[in-house]
């Protein structure tokens, strides 16, 4: 029997794997909460897809970061690349099925049980499919009772996480639930690893597959970066309550602006009316003072001929 070391790098891989599991759980729970409060079907679908990818990649990253510290005395360890990628797809798809069952289920109790069972079995399937991707000189066997215990832990952890998504809305409470779920997923992983026994068969043949540093480490770094970037996006994205408050404030400001314009128009109209009422009015019948009827000349008057009012009459004849 080969000696198994689950922490070849000390506390580095257990702590880092727990952090990744907690981040994936936190992101998945926040996205599920956003999905449950979404106002459109497309928005709900997109949030649930993000939740499924976050939880699935978080759990997968947790598992293989922990596997970076897994070592067996007497043999190298390689990983079958197609099976390893398949384990990632299984994690995302099966977790997604559980999350969608909760997001669209009408009966919350039944949806919670179905979603928790599906998600938990998905987590366990990912774990043991990833273990099936191991390539080493020897054979791997499992203790059935310990395997059953690890599966039960996965189902309970997934159900508790989905219950938290349905009933816990405050960010602080979601953070606490994420830490609990991260601890539960890590416990499930290391419980499953205690069920492993390896019988080493020395051989000089080259192992099929890639080493952890050639394949697992770069993929884990890429998925971890995805989780961090998506977490920043979700943190900066406004919630439904924040959008409603912003829309209400915009309507209030628009109402105030309309009232101000109406008041200004009324004041302008009143000013114009007052100016018109007090303006002097010219008489249309007033004749020019400078013009008078021409006097008679030589006993005859020239009708219609205006002359100056200061004109001197002709001198009398002698």
């Amino acid at each position: 029997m080969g000696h198994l070391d689950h922490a070849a790098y000390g506390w580095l891989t257990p702590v880092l794997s727990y952090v990744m599991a907690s981040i994936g759980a936190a992101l998945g729970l926040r996205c599920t909460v956003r999905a449950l409060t979404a106002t459109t079907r497309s928005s709900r679908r997109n949030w649930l897809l993000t939740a499924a990818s976050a939880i699935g990649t978080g759990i997968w990253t947790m598992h293989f970061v922990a596997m970076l510290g897994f070592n067996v005395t007497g043999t190298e360890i390689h990983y079958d690349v197609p099976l390893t990628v398949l384990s990632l797809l299984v994690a995302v798809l099966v977790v997604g099925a559980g999350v969608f069952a909760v997001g669209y289920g009408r009966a919350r109790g039944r949806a919670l049980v179905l979603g928790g069972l599906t998600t938990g079995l998905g987590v366990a399937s990912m774990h043991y499919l990833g273990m099936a991707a191991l390539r080493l000189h020897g054979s791997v066997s499992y203790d059935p009772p310990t395997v059953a215990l690890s599966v039960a832990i996965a189902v309970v952890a997934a159900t508790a996480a989905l219950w938290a998504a349905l009933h816990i809305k405050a960010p602080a409470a979601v953070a606490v639930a994420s830490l609990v779920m991260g601890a539960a997923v890590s416990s499930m992983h290391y419980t499953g690893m205690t069920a492993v026994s390896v019988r080493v068969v020395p051989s000089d043949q080259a192992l099929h597959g890639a080493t952890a540093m050639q394949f697992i480490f770069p993929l884990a770094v890429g998925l971890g970066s995805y989780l961090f970037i998506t977490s920043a996006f979700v943190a900066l994205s406004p919630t439904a309550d924040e959008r409603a408050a912003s829309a209400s404030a915009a309507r209030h400001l628009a109402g105030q602006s309309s009232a101000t314009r109406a008041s200004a128009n009324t004041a302008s109209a009143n000013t114009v009316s007052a100016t018109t009422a007090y303006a002097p009015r010219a008489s249309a019948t007033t004749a020019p003072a400078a013009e008078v009827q021409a006097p008679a000349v030589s006993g005859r008057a020239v009708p219609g001929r205006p002359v100056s009012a200061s004109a001197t009459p002709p001198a009398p004849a002698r």
Side-chain angles (χ1 to χ4, degrees):
M1 300 294 289
H3 174 70
L4 307 184
D5 188 356
H6 299 288
Y9 299 102
W11 284 99
L12 176 62
T13 51
V15 171
L16 186 56
S17 63
Y18 169 71
V19 170
M20 299 308 299
S22 298
I23 291 175
L27 181 57
L29 292 181
R30 289 302 298 166
C31 291
T32 305
V33 170
R34 296 289 187 91
L36 295 176
T37 58
T39 56
T40 62
R41 292 184 63 87
S42 61
S43 178
R44 172 170 292 196
R45 181 198 63 224
N46 293 337
W47 281 118
L48 289 176
L49 287 174
T50 306
S53 65
I55 296 175
T57 56
I59 293 172
W60 187 95
T61 306
M62 174 268 150
H63 170 80
F64 281 99
V65 167
M67 290 302 292
L68 291 175
F70 179 66
N71 186 40
V72 180
T73 304
T75 179
E76 292 184 81
I77 297 177
H78 286 202
Y79 293 88
D80 183 86
V81 174
L83 272 181
T84 303
V85 174
L86 180 61
S87 68
L88 172 61
L89 296 178
V90 167
V92 174
L93 292 177
V94 181
V95 170
V99 169
F100 270 81
V102 171
Y104 285 101
R106 297 184 180 274
R108 289 292 176 87
R110 185 174 61 184
L112 179 62
V113 173
L114 178 61
L117 180 62
T118 304
T119 304
L121 291 177
V123 172
S125 300
M126 180 279 303
H127 174 85
Y128 288 104
L129 189 58
M131 292 299 295
L134 284 177
R135 296 292 180 264
L136 47 78
H137 294 300
S139 59
V140 179
S141 59
Y142 297 91
D143 178 54
T146 309
V147 171
L149 177 60
S150 67
V151 174
I153 293 174
V155 172
V156 171
T159 304
L162 295 178
W163 179 90
L166 290 175
H167 297 90
I168 297 177
K169 309 300 180 184
V174 170
V176 173
S178 303
L179 295 176
V180 173
M181 184 179 178
V185 172
S186 298
S187 299
M188 175 267 165
H189 171 82
Y190 286 104
T191 300
M193 292 306 293
T194 59
V196 176
S197 298
V198 177
R199 180 174 179 271
V200 176
V201 178
S203 174
D204 294 332
Q205 293 183 354
L207 291 170
H208 174 69
T211 65
M213 289 300 175
Q214 289 174 340
F215 175 64
I216 300 300
F217 181 73
L219 188 57
V221 170
L223 293 176
S225 301
Y226 163 76
L227 289 176
F228 280 107
I229 293 172
T230 309
S231 298
F233 169 76
V234 173
L236 296 175
S237 177
T239 63
D241 293 339
E242 290 172 345
R243 287 195 299 269
S246 177
S248 177
R251 288 194 298 269
H252 180 68
L253 290 176
Q256 284 186 337
S257 178
S258 299
T260 301
R261 287 196 300 269
S263 177
N265 292 336
T266 302
S268 177
N270 291 339
T271 302
V272 172
S273 299
T275 303
T276 304
Y278 289 100
R281 296 181 180 180
S283 174
T285 59
T286 303
E291 292 184 0
V292 296
Q293 189 67 27
V297 179
S298 302
R300 289 179 300 123
V302 181
R305 181 179 179 182
V307 297
S308 173
S310 62
T312 304
R318 291 181 183 179

